[in-house]
């Protein structure tokens, strides 16, 4: 896990292509939450149901953050789609919110082909977690 912040709410997820990598960004209100990342060839699953997330790919990475996509009253702070396919990116095929339960927020990223490296970093002003997938 990385840096911590209280009341970190996911507000947006976006992606983009760069010359040597694809990027997925998780935007947060408040500070950057504590987070970690794991990955492998097994498809991603929903934390509540255990159902497989329908993301195409060869490798799957999951950011686990100590935040939520809803406020204390249960109102959503992230109103975007829970599953997004990203055609046009070299390696990232899509991303999905795989868990938003009791202070556990997971966002999965699917990739295809050879991935040299996956780097994550917290950034501030605005608060966000960046996932760079190098090809």
């Amino acid at each position: 896990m990385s840096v911590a912040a209280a009341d970190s709410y996911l507000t947006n997820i976006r992606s983009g292509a760069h010359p040597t990598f694809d990027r997925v960004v998780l935007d947060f209100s408040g500070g950057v939450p504590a987070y970690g990342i794991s990955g492998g060839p097994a498809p991603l699953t929903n934390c509540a149901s255990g159902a497989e997330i329908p993301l195409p790919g060869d490798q799957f990475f999951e950011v686990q953050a100590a935040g939520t996509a809803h406020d204390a009253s249960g109102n959503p702070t992230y109103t975007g789609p829970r599953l997004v396919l990203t055609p046009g990116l070299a390696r990232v095929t899509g991303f999905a919110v795989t868990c938003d339960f009791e202070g556990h927020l997971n966002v999965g990223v699917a990739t295809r082909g050879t991935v040299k490296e996956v780097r994550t970093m917290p950034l501030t002003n605005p608060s966000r977690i960046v996932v760079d997938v190098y090809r």
Side-chain angles (χ1 to χ4, degrees):
M1 290 284 200
S2 184
V3 294
D7 298 328
S8 291
Y9 302 119
L10 181 70
T11 58
N12 192 29
I13 306 173
R14 51 199 163 92
S15 62
H18 295 269
T20 59
F21 61 93
D22 293 338
R23 175 170 280 180
V24 177
V25 179
L26 286 61
D27 294 318
F28 290 89
S29 64
V32 177
Y35 74 93
I37 188 167
S38 61
L44 300 168
T45 58
N46 180 281
C47 72
S49 69
E52 188 174 306
I53 305 294
L55 280 173
D58 303 316
Q59 292 286 318
F60 303 90
F61 300 91
E62 195 167 44
V63 175
Q64 302 97 16
T68 63
H70 62 278
D71 65 19
S73 299
N75 301 309
T77 58
Y78 171 69
T79 57
R82 297 292 175 153
L83 174 69
V84 175
L85 301 181
T86 54
L89 297 181
R91 293 291 177 265
V92 172
T93 60
F95 55 83
V97 175
T98 59
C99 189
D100 180 22
F101 183 70
E102 294 186 349
H104 298 280
L105 175 69
N106 297 351
V107 176
V109 177
T111 65
R112 68 171 167 252
T114 302
V115 172
K116 288 184 182 176
E117 182 180 9
V118 176
R119 292 183 197 165
T120 61
M121 67 184 123
L123 296 173
T124 57
N125 295 324
S127 297
R128 59 206 185 277
I129 298 170
V130 174
V131 180
D132 289 339
V133 177
Y134 286 84
R135 44 189 179 274

